[in-house]
Amino acid sequence: MTKLSYERPVITKLNTGTMNKFGTRTEYAPVTQIDGVPVKKLIADYGSPCFVISERTIRDTYKNAVRAFKSRYPKVQFAWSYKTNYLNAVCNVFHSEGSWAEVVSIFEYEKALKNGVPGTKIIFNGPDKTESDLRTAIENNSMIHIDHFDELYQLSEILQDSGKKARVAIRVNMDTGIYPMWDRFGFNYEDGSAWSAINKIFAHPEMDFVGLHCHIGTYMLTTNAYSVAAGKLCDLAFNIKQRYNKNIEYLDLGGGFASANTLKGSYLQGGDIIPSVDDYAEAITSTILNYGFKPDELPTLFLETGRALIDDAGYLLGSVIAIKRLSDGRRATIMNFGVNLLFTAFWYNHRISPAQEISAQTEDMVIYGPLCMNIDVVRENINLPLLNKGDNVVVHRVGAYNMTQWMQFIQMRPKVVMIGMDGTPHIIREHETLDTMLRYEKMPAHLKEFKL
Amino acid sequence: MHINKNIAISETGFVFNPLTGDSFSTNQVGQEILRKLQGGTNQEELLKHLTEKFNIDKTTLEKDMTDFMLMLNSYQILMDDEKA
Ligand SMILES: Cc1ncc(COP(=O)(O)O)c(C=O)c1O
């Protein structure tokens, strides 16, 4: 007699009267392939855990964003926000689509240069630019976005007697109705600091004032904040024209568009509540277009969109290490990846799918990572089909910030694989090994030997 | 430890506990265990029966059964004998 196939016995309490708020059946559907490549094959070839990036999704997402803006406004230029994901292969997909680079450190700056981005197409943001960083940016004629008065004075000192000119913009912070206000970066609009900085720059002929920049926050759920921000930048641009008879070259609205991830604490799924890229584009471009610039004096619109362009393209594949029952009766599933690789688990309830055929039974569970610390929680409460030791899962929308903010703690970082347009997987970052770790360590001679 | 005899188990895995008014859903192996327990089968016989009927090794089954029994206990489907 052939035996029946076995499934771990489970019993789940049915709650009548309350709706299941943990999403719909489609959330449980197994995801067995990414861009046509079987998940099991990716894991067999590249290991578990492993990050996977879809080149096709990056290109599609980027093209759609460009379309949304260019169909509404004549001069649009995206600059890839390196910090969001600065793996060179990812950056070069964006550059090959026409995106410039936006960096916030000399390390990112040099990465962009090495990738082949001309210095003139690099936006240098951030509060931390050293004297030598500024010299490099001046030399390459990059756009220097000044963050504070100390930077302004330092830049002026460097330029004095150098015979060189710098292309500068200021970062402006402002009240857009979003709280808390990101007022620690740049010069404030409402209290006049922004104007004061503009006046100082115009007093320095060695600084060429080319643009105005803002980055009002991240994962912005309202497009109105962008209308307000664009309006305030336009106001500054108009006043500059009036006082200094100068048409500034560009307005840079920064990043901040939401991706379809679900924020923690949000009852609704991210995809159901976030504005579309068309909504953001409409808010920004209609504000600028209606402001009253002469058609030939319209500034170029720069965008430094990060997460909304890359989140969807990234996946994390992993495996179940163990299944436990917690003392309060809850089921706990322990994965071989945790917040070390999935930093964004602190903000998002990431969608997680089984990577193999599933049973009709589901259970509520908490998902933990493998680290020996309490904060290593991937999902506090998720309803998933029964998972067993060794089963594989796919975590969705992990393309932004994880591959830059991941930490090497207890575990080493895994491979990152990009699936090319033709469906061929390419390793774009090797997994770390003990050698990677030891390469940077040094042993003082007196500690080399010991007896136990 | 014994099972609450009044538990109703449907063909589709729907379980009702008249003692508490709670209802549950369980899968095939879960149903099999509940029915056998109701029929008076003891744990040893149950393990033997399940390893014969299903494609599963004894160690894994024992581990899963322990967990399942814990849940039955917490749902008051299994009762401690002294309370009976
Ligand atoms: C100056 C600047 N530009 C762009 C971005 C990208 O933001 P997002 O990923 O929210 O689009 C950031 C992120 O912090 C930033 O600080």
Side-chain angles (χ1 to χ4, degrees):
Chain A
M1 197 185 83
T2 56
K3 294 186 180 184
L4 297 174
S5 77
Y6 172 85
E7 175 179 272
R8 164 158 67 80
V10 281
I11 182 159
T12 323
K13 192 163 170 174
L14 302 172
N15 293 315
T16 44
T18 56
M19 285 259 296
N20 174 10
K21 66 174 180 188
F22 297 103
T24 51
R25 289 296 307 177
T26 55
E27 240 209 293
Y28 312 143
V31 170
T32 55
Q33 51 93 13
I34 297 169
D35 284 7
V37 186
V39 170
K40 297 281 176 192
K41 178 161 170 53
L42 287 166
I43 286 178
D45 292 351
Y46 305 108
S48 168
C50 147
F51 279 101
V52 176
I53 293 172
S54 158
E55 180 179 347
R56 180 172 300 281
T57 305
I58 302 180
R59 291 191 190 276
D60 288 351
T61 311
Y62 183 81
K63 286 195 170 91
N64 186 45
V66 169
R67 175 206 51 75
F69 278 89
K70 287 208 170 156
S71 60
R72 291 177 165 87
Y73 194 81
K75 296 193 274 181
V76 178
Q77 180 60 56
F78 279 83
W80 175 238
S81 159
Y82 263 50
K83 73 182 94 44
T84 311
N85 188 321
Y86 44 55
L87 291 173
N88 287 339
V90 169
C91 296
N92 279 7
V93 174
F94 283 105
H95 298 323
S96 71
E97 289 286 341
S99 187
W100 295 6
E102 183 269 330
V103 304
V104 290
S105 70
I106 196 69
F107 148 68
E108 291 184 359
Y109 186 99
E110 285 170 352
K111 229 166 180 276
L113 277 185
K114 277 204 165 150
N115 281 337
V117 181
T120 52
K121 297 187 172 173
I122 300 178
I123 296 171
F124 200 168
N125 275 324
D128 178 18
K129 308 183 196 83
T130 65
E131 182 182 331
S132 116
D133 300 351
L134 288 170
R135 284 187 195 282
T136 308
I138 294 166
E139 206 54 51
N140 292 314
N141 212 12
S142 301
M143 290 157 277
I144 301 172
H145 286 188
I146 302 173
D147 187 81
H148 43 73
F149 281 112
D150 287 315
E151 185 180 351
L152 203 165
Y153 294 129
Q154 183 170 24
L155 191 61
S156 132
E157 264 171 41
I158 297 169
L159 289 167
Q160 243 165 28
D161 314 318
S162 74
K164 298 218 163 74
K165 255 186 118 134
R167 294 166 70 214
V168 305
I170 55 164
R171 175 158 173 178
V172 180
N173 71 63
M174 58 186 82
D175 185 353
T176 59
I178 298 295
Y179 305 97
M181 219 166 98
W182 282 29
D183 59 359
R184 54 178 281 196
F185 305 106
F187 302 90
N188 188 253
Y189 171 85
E190 284 82 14
D191 75 1
S193 305
W195 252 112
S196 163
I198 292 166
N199 288 333
K200 285 200 167 64
I201 292 170
F202 274 98
H204 286 278
E206 70 280 10
M207 293 188 206
D208 188 8
F209 196 103
V210 290
L212 289 161
H213 171 232
C214 69
H215 171 71
I216 56 176
T218 193
Y219 203 92
M220 306 294 290
L221 287 172
T222 150
T223 58
N224 188 54
Y226 283 99
S227 306
V228 174
K232 290 183 175 174
L233 292 191
C234 286
D235 175 62
L236 291 174
F238 252 70
N239 281 309
I240 289 171
K241 168 79 178 176
Q242 220 162 31
R243 186 176 304 185
Y244 297 106
N245 194 29
K246 159 108 184 171
N247 293 313
I248 59 160
E249 290 172 28
Y250 63 85
L251 300 180
D252 180 347
L253 268 290
F257 303 161
S259 76
N261 264 310
T262 303
L263 277 187
K264 278 195 171 177
S266 168
Y267 185 79
L268 295 161
Q269 300 288 306
D272 296 337
I273 53 168
I274 62 163
S276 69
V277 64
D278 283 274
D279 297 334
Y280 291 115
E282 184 60 31
I284 293 170
T285 59
S286 64
T287 303
I288 305 176
L289 286 173
N290 294 333
Y291 211 85
F293 291 97
K294 293 199 187 96
D296 57 336
E297 291 177 1
L298 269 180
T300 300
L301 171 59
F302 277 56
L303 295 153
E304 305 168 349
T305 312
R307 71 178 74 240
L309 290 180
I310 188 70
D311 241 354
D312 280 8
Y315 301 84
L316 176 59
L317 313 184
S319 314
V320 176
I321 298 173
I323 313 233
K324 279 191 181 176
R325 183 71 68 185
L326 300 177
S327 59
D328 62 4
R330 278 181 306 155
R331 167 73 70 195
T333 304
I334 302 163
M335 299 290 182
N336 65 352
F337 59 86
V339 295
N340 53 330
L341 301 184
L342 209 58
F343 185 84
T344 52
F346 290 130
W347 319 329
Y348 291 144
N349 284 331
H350 278 289
R351 182 183 154 209
I352 299 177
S353 312
Q356 51 278 309
E357 283 314 314
I358 50 163
S359 78
Q361 282 288 331
T362 64
E363 54 185 356
D364 286 342
M365 60 181 87
V366 46
I367 295 188
Y368 291 130
L371 309 180
C372 306
M373 56 182 195
N374 252 343
I375 60 163
D376 192 21
V377 182
V378 175
R379 284 291 302 263
E380 271 137 27
N381 194 351
I382 184 172
N383 186 262
L384 280 179
L386 301 193
L387 291 171
N388 293 301
K389 178 176 163 56
D391 279 356
N392 299 125
V393 295
V394 178
V395 188
H396 300 264
R397 298 201 178 94
V398 305
Y401 297 106
N402 287 304
M403 281 158 261
T404 49
Q405 298 193 33
W406 49 7
M407 58 179 162
Q408 184 273 307
F409 175 58
I410 299 184
Q411 302 286 349
M412 289 176 286
R413 299 180 184 93
K415 283 192 173 69
V416 182
V417 174
M418 180 183 281
I419 302 179
M421 298 303 284
D422 63 356
T424 311
H426 306 268
I427 296 173
I428 62 168
R429 191 178 194 273
E430 271 299 349
H431 65 276
E432 293 171 346
T433 64
L434 186 56
D435 275 347
T436 322
M437 300 298 129
L438 297 184
R439 191 171 310 151
Y440 303 102
E441 289 198 33
K442 295 209 187 315
M443 184 67 72
H446 70 286
L447 293 176
K448 277 197 175 125
E449 313 246 322
F450 55 81
K451 264 209 195 90
L452 274 182
Chain B
M1 197 93 99
H2 70 280
I3 191 163
N4 176 350
K5 287 273 190 316
N6 296 323
I7 296 283
I9 309 161
S10 86
E11 293 289 303
T12 52
F14 182 77
V15 180
F16 180 66
N17 184 353
L19 207 67
T20 59
D22 292 330
S23 41
F24 307 87
S25 88
T26 186
N27 58 357
Q28 195 191 359
V29 178
Q31 279 182 56
E32 190 80 20
I33 296 172
L34 286 174
R35 283 187 216 287
K36 287 286 169 195
L37 288 175
Q38 272 189 326
T41 312
N42 73 27
Q43 292 244 14
E44 241 347 276
E45 292 163 359
L46 190 53
L47 279 173
K48 185 162 174 295
H49 166 75
L50 292 172
T51 43
E52 278 164 14
K53 181 157 177 178
F54 293 95
N55 191 13
I56 185 67
D57 63 278
K58 188 148 175 266
T59 318
T60 311
L61 180 65
E62 267 196 66
K63 189 183 83 169
D64 292 348
M65 281 264 291
T66 308
D67 182 66
F68 188 63
M69 294 296 174
L70 259 169
M71 291 316 285
L72 294 183
N73 218 359
S74 81
Y75 291 146
Q76 298 179 44
I77 294 170
L78 276 187
M79 330 261 286
D80 290 336
D81 285 328
E82 53 274 28
K83 274 199 230 141

